[in-house]
Amino acid sequence: MIIDGKKIAEELRIKIKNDIEKIPGNSRPGLTVILIGDHPASQIYVRNKEKFAKEVGINSKVLKFDESITEQELKNEIENLNKDLNVHGILVQLPLPDHINQRDIIETIDPRKDVDGFHPINVGNLSSGNDAMVPCTPLGCYYLIKKVLSDLDGLNAVVIGRSNINGKPMTQLLLKENCTVTIVHSKTKKIDEICSNADLIIAAVGKAKMVKSSWVKQNAVVIDVGINRVQVDSKSKIIGDVDFDNVKEKTKGITPVPGGVGPMTIACLLENTLKAFYKISGNAPR
Ligand code: NAP
């Protein structure tokens, strides 16, 4: 089964739109994205975020700043957004210029408005099993997994990659679902053997076609987070961390790239913005 992230993300956006339409009065969730410089990939992501936010009824705004903005100026902007009652979600598009300390910037965001789920308070809450803003990509992976495996109790899961935005929060979500989780990284030995025992593999590495068919157990579920730009027949193409064509036949479910995890990331950002709105405004449905 190919897990159709595009369709599942669309269903999630429809649900969010319906929920927003049910909010009484004129108050609507507000999302502000801060974009610094002219990083081409960031420009595309931000444009898509804005488009889908508007589509579901979120008041979306992009604040653009030149690369020369100082750390203090950026912190002041975030403080203003923290105080703004019409802003429920704040997202600082990464990466930031080298002269700005990413950790300090993330810590300036009000944790309730931290729709990326990167603030240490949200990281701590997630790892303690408390209610938290969960980073959008692993949350999207989790929803995709649940479409194929409703009960994850006791499954062997392998997460490849230990980044703060993907691998680590993914691990926490799977632990919460009672998986036995192994997290592997660039220093891990015999990753192929470790993967070959997995019921569930989540690859978040950034290495094209790294996960081979021989690594994957029959009927495993494989979620591919990787986005790798490669040249095929002198054309630029995006492929994942999984050798999709050779792996797909063995799996119970697998996400394609593109069209798998990617669309879920933005849908989950919208969901986090609605969640922040409910929390801050006290306007949650009964
Ligand atoms: P990252 O911060 O670079 O982390 C990559 C992880 O992979 C690290 O933990 C690294 O190990 C590990 N790794 C590198 N080479 C390895 C190897 N040969 N064997 C095993 N592990 C290895 O990357 P990220 O931000 O998590 O992103 C991962 C991928 O997901 C990228 O392709 C990125 O573009 C994509 N992505 C997709 C979405 C989406 O919406 N679909 C969102 C975000 C990211 P060490 O820790 O030991 O260095």
Side-chain angles (χ1 to χ4, degrees):
M1 173 191 176
I2 312 286
I3 307 170
D4 187 347
K6 228 171 145 180
K7 181 162 160 267
I8 298 165
E10 195 185 343
E11 287 164 5
L12 181 55
R13 289 198 305 273
I14 291 170
K15 181 184 176 302
I16 295 166
K17 187 169 189 274
N18 289 338
D19 288 346
I20 290 176
E21 281 167 0
K22 285 185 205 135
I23 297 170
N26 294 326
S27 171
R28 290 292 174 266
L31 169 68
T32 298
V33 176
I34 295 181
L35 178 62
I36 296 163
D38 50 11
H39 196 271
S42 297
Q43 309 258 3
I44 298 170
Y45 290 143
V46 170
R47 218 175 303 134
N48 284 334
K49 283 168 185 168
E50 209 183 5
K51 173 179 159 231
F52 286 120
K54 287 201 169 131
E55 227 173 81
V56 300
I58 288 175
N59 290 327
S60 160
K61 209 166 149 186
V62 181
L63 294 181
K64 290 188 184 171
F65 298 103
D66 192 80
E67 289 258 357
S68 61
I69 189 169
T70 65
E71 188 169 316
Q72 192 52 53
E73 284 167 339
L74 181 54
K75 282 183 178 168
N76 293 345
E77 294 291 342
I78 295 171
E79 296 288 5
N80 287 338
L81 295 172
N82 284 344
K83 286 184 229 140
D84 189 334
L85 297 177
N86 293 315
V87 174
H88 307 94
I90 303 169
L91 185 151
V92 179
Q93 184 66 43
L94 304 177
L96 294 175
D98 290 344
H99 65 278
I100 297 178
N101 183 312
Q102 186 171 303
R103 199 189 61 200
D104 287 351
I105 291 302
I106 289 169
E107 288 182 14
T108 308
I109 300 171
D110 178 340
R112 296 173 311 162
K113 298 190 177 188
D114 167 39
V115 283
D116 251 342
F118 296 162
H119 191 289
I121 291 204
N122 284 313
V123 175
N125 276 333
L126 177 63
S127 58
S128 311
N130 298 333
D131 181 48
M133 280 291 177
V134 179
C136 306
T137 303
L139 182 60
C141 292
Y142 170 78
Y143 288 146
L144 295 177
I145 294 165
K146 291 295 269 186
K147 289 279 172 187
V148 198
L149 300 167
S150 55
D151 182 6
L152 303 183
D153 257 29
L155 295 187
N156 282 333
V158 173
V159 178
I160 315 177
R162 57 174 163 179
S163 72
N164 290 337
I165 67 164
N166 287 315
K168 284 181 194 154
M170 190 72 242
T171 300
Q172 297 300 345
L173 288 171
L174 295 172
L175 276 176
K176 215 171 165 182
E177 288 287 318
N178 298 323
C179 286
T180 303
V181 191
T182 307
I183 183 160
V184 302
H185 46 77
S186 68
K187 305 288 185 283
T188 307
K189 297 185 177 80
K190 300 191 176 161
I191 294 184
D192 52 344
E193 270 179 33
I194 297 169
C195 285
S196 66
N197 282 318
D199 304 301
L200 175 58
I201 297 174
I202 294 97
V205 185
K207 295 248 177 296
K209 295 191 183 181
M210 177 179 141
V211 178
K212 309 284 179 225
S213 168
S214 60
W215 297 24
V216 178
K217 189 168 94 171
Q218 196 69 36
N219 270 338
V221 170
V222 178
I223 305 292
D224 192 350
V225 182
I227 299 177
N228 307 288
R229 191 169 282 282
V230 294
Q231 292 293 322
V232 180
D233 301 331
S234 72
K235 276 191 196 135
S236 176
K237 207 178 151 193
I238 300 281
I239 62 169
D241 289 343
V242 177
D243 184 5
F244 181 83
D245 288 335
N246 294 312
V247 170
K248 68 174 188 234
E249 302 303 338
K250 289 181 105 173
T251 63
K252 182 172 180 177
I254 183 168
T255 56
V257 176
V261 174
M264 290 302 288
T265 298
I266 294 185
C268 289
L269 170 70
L270 307 178
E271 189 183 57
N272 277 351
T273 305
L274 178 57
K275 179 175 169 168
F277 169 83
Y278 284 150
K279 212 169 203 175
I280 293 166
S281 69
N283 226 333
R286 283 159 216 272

